[in-house]
Amino acid sequence: MTDTKPWFLSKGFVGPLIAVVAIALENMDIIALDSNSVSDIVFQMIALAGAAFGMIGRAVADKRLTKM
């Protein structure tokens, strides 16, 4: 039997999902950020961290993903 895990437990999925949700919320004006505020930098760091988390997670992964 192959060592697998569900797709939703993968850093390679969760990281980019965090980045996409953060960017989508800003683009839909659900999260309105003033470009002169510190919160804009925080938002960008969350999106960047999500993308980096996914890339690193997939790079070091040792298990295959399953659909469930």
Side-chain angles (χ1 to χ4, degrees):
M1 186 171 185
T2 311
D3 194 17
T4 64
K5 67 179 173 182
W7 60 269
F8 55 86
L9 295 179
S10 167
K11 291 181 209 111
F13 176 80
V14 175
L17 178 63
I18 292 169
V20 167
V21 168
I23 292 167
L25 290 175
E26 183 185 28
N27 287 336
M28 292 187 296
D29 291 329
I30 294 172
I31 297 176
L33 300 173
D34 180 13
S35 61
N36 295 326
S37 70
V38 174
S39 61
D40 190 38
I41 294 170
V42 171
F43 165 76
Q44 290 177 8
M45 293 303 293
I46 290 170
L48 181 61
F53 185 65
M55 292 184 327
I56 292 168
R58 198 65 274 179
V60 300
D62 58 353
K63 296 180 182 176
R64 295 189 59 145
L65 300 180
T66 60
K67 292 183 183 175
M68 291 249 286

